[in-house]
Amino acid sequence: MNKILVIAEHMAGVVNTSTHKSVACALLIPDAEVDVAVLAADDKAAMHAAKLAGVKSVINVTRNEFTEFVASTAAPAIAELAANYTHVFAPSTTFGKDVLPRVAALLGVGQLSDIMIVNGSHSFVRPIYAGNALVHIDADPAKKLLATVRIASFQPVTETGDATIETANITASLPTHTRFVERSSADNAGPDLQSATRVVSGGRALGSAENFQLIYKLAKQLGAAVGASRAAVDAGYAANDLQVGQTGKIIAPDLYIAVGISGAIQHLTGIKDARTIVAINKDSEAPIFEVADIGLVGDLFTLLPELQKQLGG
Amino acid sequence: MSKILVCIKRVVDYNVRIRVKPDGSGVITDNVKMGINPFDEIALEEALRLKERGVASEVVVVSIGPAETQQQLRTALAMGADRALLVEHAYAIEPLTAARVFLKLVEKEAPLLVITGKQAIDDDNGQTGQMLAALWDRPQACFASKVEINGNIAKVTREVDAGLETLELDLPAVITTDLRLNEPRYVKLPEIMKAKKKPLETLTLDALGITASKQFNVTKVTPPPVKQKGVMVKDVTELVATLKQMGSL
Ligand SMILES: Cc1cc2nc3c(=O)[nH]c(=O)nc-3n(C[C@H](O)[C@H](O)[C@H](O)COP(=O)(O)OP(=O)(O)OC[C@H]3O[C@@H](n4cnc5c(N)ncnc54)[C@H](O)[C@@H]3O)c2cc1C
Ligand SMILES: Nc1ncnc2c1ncn2[C@@H]1O[C@H](COP(=O)(O)O)[C@@H](O)[C@H]1O
């Protein structure tokens, strides 16, 4: 019997879809029982987590220290919870990437990052070199297996479950050397980039923050989330949390429209799982056309307004 | 005064489009251009700026890798690092082993700060900094885009999925870098000459009393699935029609 603990990512009492997807991945482990751990200041997120289909129990740890999640503070608590499990999973978002390696080291074990395929209880596939190669890995079954889950590779479980909620007390002392100060989010109207079914992204070619509004307009018309290349973020046209790619977000929308983006490998890593990729670029040699399902060569400043018009805006 | 330790990994240059060996035993790295992991270059730049601001007195670059890693360490010295430590090891190691090695170096050097990249762009693990922080029992701030140091406290802004988050850390601590932290300086020719005289010490895992543990066995390496070739459309009308036909609109 494999016992898997998924560490929930949540904010303001709501469990993030990355958790639903991590649970989906955990359920692919043969002969598995899946629990979800919620570290929070109150019970709200735990009640939400109890709805995730396939989850047996929610392990609820409520402490004031978890009002804001700080990896250095929470890691000893997670390491303590891990004692009863053969596997510990967390989403490969900035949340999971931050905390899970710390938990692994506290437990004296290694960790797999970004698992995308489950081939067995200790057999996985993950990408390396920005997704240009896939490694097939057999992990030592004698050791606890910690892994982050590449969320673009899994469909979220539904919220039709009814898990029991168990209260867990932590005896480990939690360090106070790392303190949360503040969080600022750009006010991104529209759907969330990581779970949107449609995404419109803009690159350096937009040329200014004002011009980047063209991307917002098209996105709004399509009910899409907005994304950006690193060059567009660096130049200040778009907020950092909109960056798509190796060091930004890895996404898997049904439709991805890349406007004025050249298609550097680091950007392509982020969109490999998109079902349909549309590229608009004035350079017919741009590498983005190698991965695009539909390519259109031309100047975005004439094409975008035309596209909007034809879509009925 | 205080020291900053920067971890520098030798990796395949980020512009190289890596290919998988036909027999599935790995990726082709023969005659491929190598360089400093881009995030580590940013880590070094940040350390150098902190030194220039008077926050630190010495910047030590450390690496685990084959003998050729001396090239990357010399470049780091030319950028402005004061000295280098190379733990010579011909084979790839898992991040937990790397963290254990770095802990040994940390115990020797007692730095105020360790800066690593947020991930090495070869294996894309993104673990070593956090593991080191855990083993060292010190704070971590990952994906840093801004670092301020005031006495024994660091204030670090991090790029997280929700936007930007700021943490306050008691030093010593580990910081891992994100891309927007800074833009690394170019190396000037005279600096390359000078760097040849800077100290570069070589150690081994054995000498540090570390055995490389192995939890993960790579059975094969395969190329990612190839995408079907797409279509080119001539104008917006055709684009919209094609999208509708594919059921995407
Ligand atoms: C370690 C590392 C990690 C990275 N991570 C990421 C990442 O996560 N995400 C990411 O995006 N990048 C990342 N990058 C950067 C990446 O290598 C590219 O530099 C970046 O993606 C380029 O952005 P761009 O396509 O917008 O700009 P450019 O490469 O400058 O492309 C602009 C494109 O716009 C086209 N264009 C110009 N004018 C017009 C017009 N009027 N109409 C239509 N088309 C036009 C041009 O033909 C060109 O193809 C990373 C780099 C490194 C080294
Ligand atoms: N062998 C190594 N030599 C030097 N630094 C390393 C090594 N392995 C990892 N690091 C550091 O740890 C960071 C994260 O690496 P990784 O966990 O392998 O993705 C890198 O950006 C480096 O700063």
Side-chain angles (χ1 to χ4, degrees), chain A residues 202-206 228-234 243-249 256 259-270 280-288 296-303, chain B residues 14-15 37-39 42 118-119 121 179:
Chain A
R204 192 198 309 272
L206 271 299
S229 72
R230 174 190 169 192
V233 174
D234 284 0
Q243 181 171 315
V244 172
Q246 183 182 19
T247 47
K249 287 176 178 145
Y256 185 76
V259 183
I261 291 177
S262 60
I265 42 176
Q266 296 87 4
H267 186 81
L268 300 183
T269 312
I280 298 177
N281 195 302
K282 71 174 181 192
D283 173 12
S284 63
E285 302 287 312
I288 188 84
L296 175 55
V297 177
D299 189 332
L300 74 95
F301 294 106
T302 46
L303 295 175
Chain B
Y14 72 93
N15 278 313
N37 183 45
F39 295 102
I42 294 170
K118 81 162 175 183
Q119 82 196 70
I121 61 162
L179 289 174

Side-chain angles (χ1 to χ4, degrees), chain A residues 1-299:
Chain A
M1 167 70 98
N2 293 299
K3 289 201 69 187
I4 302 164
L5 184 66
V6 175
I7 313 303
E9 175 172 13
H10 59 87
M11 178 111 36
V14 179
V15 175
N16 191 297
T17 333
S18 62
T19 310
H20 300 56
K21 292 179 177 179
S22 302
V23 168
C25 174
L27 288 167
L28 294 174
I29 302 278
D31 190 23
E33 207 172 85
V34 178
D35 290 351
V36 171
V38 178
L39 285 71
D42 58 38
D43 291 341
K44 281 201 208 95
M47 315 252 279
H48 186 188
K51 295 186 187 152
L52 302 198
V55 173
K56 188 173 153 279
S57 303
V58 171
I59 312 300
N60 187 22
V61 188
T62 47
R63 305 244 317 215
N64 285 334
E65 288 98 323
F66 303 143
T67 306
E68 296 290 350
F69 187 89
V70 174
S72 309
T73 313
I78 299 174
E80 189 173 325
L81 294 177
N84 304 325
Y85 295 88
T86 54
H87 299 59
V88 181
F89 285 3
S92 187
T93 54
T94 53
F95 160 79
K97 287 178 186 172
D98 187 15
V99 73
L100 207 65
R102 189 168 180 116
V103 175
L106 291 178
L107 293 169
V109 296
Q111 188 215 283
L112 284 177
S113 296
D114 307 310
I115 53 177
M116 54 192 294
I117 300 173
V118 176
N119 282 330
S121 66
H122 290 78
S123 183
F124 303 92
V125 179
R126 64 171 296 262
I128 56 171
Y129 288 99
N132 286 304
L134 306 179
V135 276
H136 299 243
I137 286 169
D138 281 346
D140 180 354
K143 290 191 172 147
K144 211 181 281 294
L145 194 126
L146 272 67
T148 59
V149 175
R150 184 177 181 277
I151 58 175
S153 302
F154 300 91
Q155 291 300 319
V157 294
T158 57
E159 295 195 353
T160 50
D162 185 17
T164 55
I165 300 182
E166 288 173 26
T167 304
N169 290 313
I170 298 295
T171 57
S173 71
L174 304 180
T176 54
H177 51 43
T178 315
R179 296 167 294 272
F180 175 86
V181 179
E182 61 180 355
R183 186 177 306 108
S184 63
S185 322
D187 213 352
N188 302 319
D192 168 54
L193 178 57
Q194 258 161 328
S195 45
T197 54
R198 291 173 174 179
V199 174
V200 183
S201 272
R204 192 198 309 272
L206 271 299
S208 69
E210 294 79 66
N211 290 343
F212 207 84
Q213 289 303 320
L214 287 170
I215 301 293
Y216 276 96
K217 277 192 202 148
L218 179 61
K220 192 164 177 209
Q221 209 170 3
L222 289 167
V226 170
S229 72
R230 174 190 169 192
V233 174
D234 284 0
Y237 310 160
N240 73 285
D241 50 320
L242 299 185
Q243 181 171 315
V244 172
Q246 183 182 19
T247 47
K249 287 176 178 145
I250 312 273
I251 57 175
D254 291 340
L255 177 62
Y256 185 76
I257 305 184
V259 183
I261 291 177
S262 60
I265 42 176
Q266 296 87 4
H267 186 81
L268 300 183
T269 312
I271 60 171
K272 281 211 164 82
D273 296 277
R275 202 182 61 189
T276 304
I277 298 174
V278 175
I280 298 177
N281 195 302
K282 71 174 181 192
D283 173 12
S284 63
E285 302 287 312
I288 188 84
F289 288 123
E290 288 165 32
V291 300
D293 298 284
I294 311 176
L296 175 55
V297 177
D299 189 332

Side-chain angles (χ1 to χ4, degrees), chain B residues 151-203:
Chain B
N152 267 329
I153 288 181
K155 213 167 153 188
V156 181
T157 304
R158 328 191 295 122
E159 297 210 12
V160 295
D161 290 335
L164 296 172
E165 183 182 289
T166 306
L167 295 179
E168 197 178 80
L169 326 172
D170 293 340
L171 296 173
V174 178
I175 292 175
T176 81
T177 61
D178 213 324
L179 289 174
R180 274 174 285 277
L181 181 58
N182 60 50
E183 238 180 275
R185 65 196 62 190
Y186 287 104
V187 176
K188 299 184 207 81
L189 198 60
E191 304 295 335
I192 298 177
M193 302 310 293
K194 262 203 278 179
K196 291 192 175 141
K197 296 202 198 77
K198 289 185 178 174
L200 192 162
E201 190 189 336
T202 306
L203 301 155

